[in-house]
Amino acid sequence: FGIAGPPGSGKSTLAGRLGADVDAPVVPMDGFHLPNVTLDARGLRHVKGSPETFAATKFVGVVRALRDPRRAVACPTFDRTIDDPIADQILVSSAARVVIVEGNYLLLDRPPWSSLSGLFDAIAYLEVPAELRLQRLIERHVEFGRSRTEAEEFVRRSDWVNAALVESTKARADIVIPMDD
């Protein structure tokens, strides 16, 4: 099952709660961020979170592997305190009947992201008012070390641009879930 939505929509929070409720592992797309050292080398750190700042082909491969009931799959997670992914932190057992995958670009219609559409039984899109997402994003960036000015600038330069792209994918979702808190 997939949960998509723009940055700050609450994907991780909802996925975590659902996973706990139904005893299902949660795989965050954020674990597939390219490491900061790679982003720096490519000159992309200032737009971290955009599609090109992810190991998208690897992500698609892992989601495909999760469909195979014969194998366990090790998945990375993302640590906001160090602002980098950490490999193999989530082990999805071959016995897992339900796996929840959450991320911005599950519905994006460009390769390699477009390969994801056939790998989910369903994808929900979280629709959250822009003002609430803006507040959440700024607070998140401040919480993890940016000044308020730096947080507002990053949201404007990166998160908000990415949000517009993600919002353009909403029509591809199996269900749209309006959320306001």
Side-chain angles (χ1 to χ4, degrees):
F1 182 75
I3 300 175
S9 61
K11 298 176 300 295
S12 299
T13 301
L14 179 60
R17 288 180 184 162
L18 286 175
D21 286 350
V22 300
D23 193 27
V26 175
V27 176
M29 187 189 84
D30 279 354
F32 294 85
H33 272 289
L34 293 173
N36 287 334
V37 65
T38 302
L39 295 176
D40 289 341
R42 295 181 184 177
L44 293 172
R45 193 161 179 183
H46 69 288
V47 293
K48 187 173 188 169
S50 62
E52 65 272 16
T53 66
F54 286 90
T57 301
K58 181 179 178 183
F59 178 65
V60 171
V62 166
V63 173
R64 186 172 284 115
L66 291 169
R67 303 275 315 171
D68 185 345
R70 299 167 295 171
R71 62 189 279 198
V73 180
C75 304
T77 191
F78 188 78
D79 186 332
R80 290 194 184 281
T81 59
I82 62 170
D83 194 38
D84 250 335
I86 303 177
D88 301 336
Q89 293 297 297
I90 302 165
L91 181 62
V92 179
S93 163
S94 60
R97 306 273 307 162
V98 174
V99 178
I100 300 167
V101 178
E102 60 90 2
N104 294 341
Y105 303 119
L106 305 185
L107 299 164
L108 194 58
D109 192 23
R110 69 167 91 147
W113 304 99
S114 53
S115 301
L116 292 168
S117 64
L119 300 177
F120 290 97
D121 293 325
I123 300 176
Y125 179 93
L126 301 185
E127 186 172 53
V128 177
E131 305 78 31
L132 179 56
R133 288 187 288 112
L134 178 63
Q135 176 186 355
R136 288 176 177 174
L137 288 167
I138 291 170
E139 288 173 7
R140 176 192 300 166
H141 290 301
V142 168
E143 178 183 351
F144 289 101
R146 287 189 166 108
S147 71
R148 184 157 192 85
T149 301
E150 291 168 331
E152 290 169 350
E153 172 61 22
F154 187 84
V155 168
R156 183 194 62 73
R157 180 183 61 242
S158 185
D159 289 334
W160 225 241
V161 173
N162 299 333
L165 177 59
V166 174
E167 288 169 341
S168 76
T169 70
K170 178 173 73 170
R172 293 183 188 94
D174 296 295
I175 183 171
V176 175
I177 302 172
M179 302 184 72
D180 59 8
D181 62 6

